[in-house]
Amino acid sequence: MNFASNWKRTGVYSAWIVGALAGCGPKTPGGGDTTGGEETGVGSESASTSSSETTPTEGPTGPGQTGSTSLGGDSSAESATNDGTGSETTGGQIPTDPGPYLPGIDGVLVVEESHSFAGGTLIYGGAFAWAQFFNAPGAQGFMTGDVLDPFEGVEDCGVNVFDVDGVGGSDDVMFLGADEVRVEVAGAMRTLEHGADPFYHWFSIDPQDDPAPGTRLAFEVRGGLVGDADLPGPVVPPALSFSAPDFDAPIGRDDLSLQWTGTADAPLDLKLVISEIPVGARQWTEIHCRMTDDGAFTIPAAVLAAVPVDGFAWIYVQRHLDEEQSDNDRTYLARGTSAVEIRAGFGEACDSPPDNMAACTAAAAQINTVLEACGLQPDPIAAQCPAFLAELCVDCTGYYACVAAGWSCQPDGLHTGDNTCECE
């Protein structure tokens, strides 16, 4: 892989080791709220021309394509359930939520405040806006997997096991281009960027202009296949952050008590994805919980016990404020979002854990040397090698050296290699 020279941000490589480029600013449509085991929540034109521009196997395709995309709705397993006890495994097609891609909705306008953590270390925090326009008959995509515990609605969790070879299906969505989209930030209209094909528009908001909760950001849409629209835009919801548990320690298999800030009327959807390696697993387990947004929820030990492997976890939670807004005979979903994603360890404690931290630290230092040789800013070791590695029982020491070996600074820029790296 090659990072092109026009990568828009520096110092955002920090989570490559624990989860490739986690939380590096604007995301693909869906904001990372997807299911799956490979790189989640990064890519396509929102990240310009970086090597993270690959399509996540678990979720959205790139702008201008058709694909199954989830934006925080109900990824229920109602089409492939067992008797509800979790004691049987049932295979089948598990529908993905079509998100805003619904009949009668012509586009989505999003303002998101997002924070990403490696363990307890913040690696990215900021706000961005994005917009997308489409015709959607409402067909729903699917993934194929095994239902270990069916998801049954609010105050419940479901457990599914997926294999990358079984990911399939697509929503029947036709994306449309606009000539220009602008968003009101700090009292001024700012033009959103787009790639070669104007199907996806984005704007990274300067930290000094981060919108406070309750702020409404107006949108203007001009030209193209979309037509003109002037819309009041989304309202930023109350801030969302987790005060418990301590993600600097691996998540065990006992009851997991979650506590978070702020409340809202709509339920929160939590996705907890576990795989045996930090990035690129061919099989992964997803826990999906829908939680009343009252500040606390406990994932039962019985749910965590259903996960077949120890390893690496990726947690993603969004709080939404949604409104439908119309102009010139078109209806848009205006969505304000506060999102948190966390990379964590998963599994029971052991007496003598392998020295993953030392292996990761050595690899991170090697990678930082390559970054500096390419004139790029290295990241703190704590962002690349979070504290949970010191207690993680999965032996991933060889993985880190394998990843670092692929990094080099070449005349045409930074290369990260195409190594297939595995844990023990």
Side-chain angles (χ1 to χ4, degrees):
M1 297 181 185
N2 166 246
F3 280 92
S5 60
N6 62 343
W7 171 248
K8 295 188 175 185
R9 299 172 183 267
T10 58
V12 294
Y13 306 98
S14 60
W16 183 273
I17 297 177
V18 298
L21 297 171
C24 301
K27 301 172 177 63
T28 45
D33 185 16
T34 56
T35 58
E38 294 216 21
E39 171 48 20
T40 46
V42 187
S44 90
E45 293 178 354
S46 63
S48 188
T49 53
S50 80
S51 69
S52 62
E53 199 168 333
T54 55
T55 300
T57 61
E58 71 285 1
T61 62
Q65 303 174 24
T66 58
S68 64
T69 306
S70 171
L71 279 99
D74 181 3
S75 299
S76 68
E78 294 175 353
S79 71
T81 60
N82 56 27
D83 62 4
T85 65
S87 60
E88 296 182 10
T89 297
T90 303
Q93 294 182 2
I94 302 168
T96 61
D97 172 50
Y101 306 110
L102 296 169
I105 298 296
D106 299 296
V108 59
L109 314 169
V110 177
V111 174
E112 178 170 324
E113 183 76 33
S114 180
H115 293 83
S116 297
F117 295 83
T121 300
L122 178 68
I123 59 173
Y124 170 80
F128 59 97
W130 63 270
Q132 199 171 45
F133 311 97
F134 44 81
N135 289 327
Q140 184 161 284
F142 67 89
M143 299 176 68
T144 56
D146 293 324
V147 180
L148 304 185
D149 184 354
F151 170 73
E152 298 175 319
V154 180
E155 296 296 285
D156 185 53
C157 297
V159 185
N160 302 323
V161 176
F162 296 106
D163 190 295
V164 70
D165 294 328
V167 178
S170 65
D171 298 324
D172 186 11
V173 179
M174 176 182 292
F175 292 101
L176 305 175
D179 288 341
E180 183 179 60
V181 182
R182 299 198 295 169
V183 62
E184 183 180 16
V185 176
M189 299 305 296
R190 314 293 178 87
T191 300
L192 278 67
E193 301 178 58
H194 60 75
D197 295 317
F199 300 114
Y200 178 47
H201 303 252
W202 72 92
F203 179 79
S204 296
I205 298 175
D206 192 285
Q208 67 182 11
D209 296 327
D210 272 7
T215 303
R216 184 182 293 278
L217 285 78
F219 275 75
E220 295 177 353
V221 183
R222 296 290 181 266
L225 296 175
V226 178
D228 295 349
D230 293 282
L231 302 156
V235 174
V236 179
L240 173 65
S241 63
F242 281 86
S243 56
D246 176 11
F247 290 106
D248 277 335
I251 298 169
R253 294 178 183 265
D254 296 330
D255 288 352
L256 180 62
S257 296
L258 304 170
Q259 297 179 14
W260 61 87
T261 60
T263 60
D265 293 335
L268 293 178
D269 280 277
L270 175 147
K271 294 185 188 294
L272 171 57
V273 179
I274 301 104
S275 61
E276 291 184 281
I277 61 175
V279 183
R282 297 195 62 81
Q283 186 178 79
W284 65 94
T285 303
E286 178 191 301
I287 296 174
H288 174 207
C289 302
R290 177 160 292 172
M291 314 176 298
T292 302
D293 194 359
D294 58 5
F297 181 80
T298 297
I299 301 178
V303 169
L304 298 169
V307 179
V309 298
D310 290 351
F312 296 83
W314 175 79
I315 302 161
Y316 194 77
V317 185
Q318 291 181 321
R319 172 180 286 144
H320 293 311
L321 286 178
D322 286 351
E323 298 178 17
E324 289 189 13
Q325 300 174 357
S326 299
D327 193 18
N328 284 338
D329 298 323
R330 290 181 179 268
T331 300
Y332 304 89
L333 176 66
R335 169 166 287 182
T337 300
S338 179
V340 177
E341 62 178 343
I342 303 165
R343 297 284 178 165
F346 183 85
E348 299 294 347
C350 56
D351 294 333
S352 301
D355 205 346
N356 290 301
M357 181 61 76
C360 182
T361 299
Q366 183 177 339
I367 288 171
N368 281 349
T369 298
V370 173
L371 290 173
E372 290 176 330
C374 276
L376 299 170
Q377 181 180 349
D379 274 314
I381 297 296
Q384 301 186 60
C385 303
F388 69 76
L389 289 177
E391 302 179 51
L392 192 67
C393 292
V394 174
D395 187 351
C396 220
T397 52
Y399 169 89
Y400 302 108
C402 174
V403 170
W407 285 64
S408 63
C409 183
Q410 303 293 334
D412 61 342
L414 178 66
H415 289 247
T416 62
D418 294 312
N419 296 354
T420 300
C421 301
E422 302 285 346
C423 297
E424 296 294 330

